[in-house]
């Protein structure tokens, strides 16, 4: 799967420059086409979540959940509520308080794959940055958040 990621990027780079020269001039922001992939890495420890990365609106998004703690932890977010989620790896899907949650046992890793619909701002024609909180339904004090950003920016390598 890694190779297709690179192929896509190679393909989109020239396209991005074209899009930027059209849209970027007006907004001053580097806007990017939607057909991209976003990766968010969530390392789960017993004392909380550590989040790396973000995704872009309309992008195929992978949330990688790595449980480095000593007990089972959950990942639940309202972003999972209205989208079909494909689960890869070791997670158990449950419903907690009416919201989907994915339980990952200690030492296990799972990936959630989904695409969140693009939300366009009708006045500017660009999509909005949104912040999504998530939480552990087993330990309510555990909380984290990630971003869906309209700009491409630096996607922290790795
Ligand atoms: Cu937990």
């Amino acid at each position: 799967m890694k190779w297709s990621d690179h192929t896509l990027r190679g393909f989109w780079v020239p396209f991005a420059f074209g899009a930027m020269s059209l849209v970027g001039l007006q907004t001053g922001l580097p806007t990017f086409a939607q057909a991209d992939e976003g990766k968010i890495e969530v390392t789960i420890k017993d004392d909380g979540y550590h989040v790396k990365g973000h995704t872009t609106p309309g992008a195929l998004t992978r949330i990688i959940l790595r449980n480095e703690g000593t007990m089972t932890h959950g990942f639940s977010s309202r972003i999972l509520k209205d989208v079909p989620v494909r689960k890869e790896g070791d997670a158990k899907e449950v419903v907690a308080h009416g919201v989907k949650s994915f339980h990952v046992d200690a030492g296990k890793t799972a990936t959630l794959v989904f695409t969140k619909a693009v939300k366009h701002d009708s006045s500017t024609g660009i999509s909005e940055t949104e912040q999504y909180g998530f939480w552990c339904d087993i330990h309510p004090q555990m909380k984290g958040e990630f971003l869906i950003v309209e700009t491409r920016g630096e996607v922290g390598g790795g």
Side-chain angles (χ1 to χ4, degrees):
M1 287 314 245
K2 203 58 199 166
W3 62 269
S4 66
D5 192 56
H6 285 116
T7 308
L8 262 181
R9 266 171 224 279
F11 175 75
W12 282 111
V13 164
F15 186 86
F17 277 103
M20 257 148 61
S21 60
L22 286 176
V23 185
L25 278 179
Q26 292 164 351
T27 62
L29 294 169
T31 314
F32 195 72
Q34 272 101 47
D36 194 13
E37 290 195 12
K39 189 169 85 172
I40 298 165
E41 294 178 80
V42 179
T43 303
I44 310 172
K45 305 215 167 155
D46 292 343
D47 65 343
Y49 298 102
H50 303 265
V51 184
K52 210 174 102 185
H54 62 258
T55 187
T56 50
L60 179 72
T61 300
R62 285 167 208 283
I63 297 184
I64 299 154
L65 305 171
R66 253 184 223 107
N67 188 348
E68 294 183 356
T70 61
M71 58 193 99
T72 300
H73 290 292
F75 179 95
S76 188
S77 172
R78 69 186 168 85
I79 198 176
L80 304 174
K81 208 172 176 176
D82 27 325
V83 294
V85 180
R86 196 173 85 231
K87 179 193 67 153
E88 295 168 358
D90 294 309
K92 196 173 114 200
E93 184 175 341
V94 298
V95 174
H97 312 295
V99 187
K100 258 184 279 201
S101 177
F102 292 86
H103 287 181
V104 183
D105 288 340
K108 302 290 187 187
T109 299
T111 304
L112 309 179
V113 186
F114 61 91
T115 301
K116 180 82 171 81
V118 184
K119 214 165 109 185
H120 278 293
D121 182 323
S122 52
S123 61
T124 61
I126 57 173
S127 45
E128 300 167 34
T129 295
E130 289 185 273
Q131 195 171 33
Y132 279 92
F134 58 86
W135 60 88
C136 174
D137 56 290
I138 304 168
H139 310 101
Q141 78 277 11
M142 286 178 66
K143 288 186 169 68
E145 62 189 26
F146 60 88
L147 291 177
I148 298 186
V149 293
E150 62 171 83
T151 52
R152 186 161 157 75
E154 254 301 291
V155 181

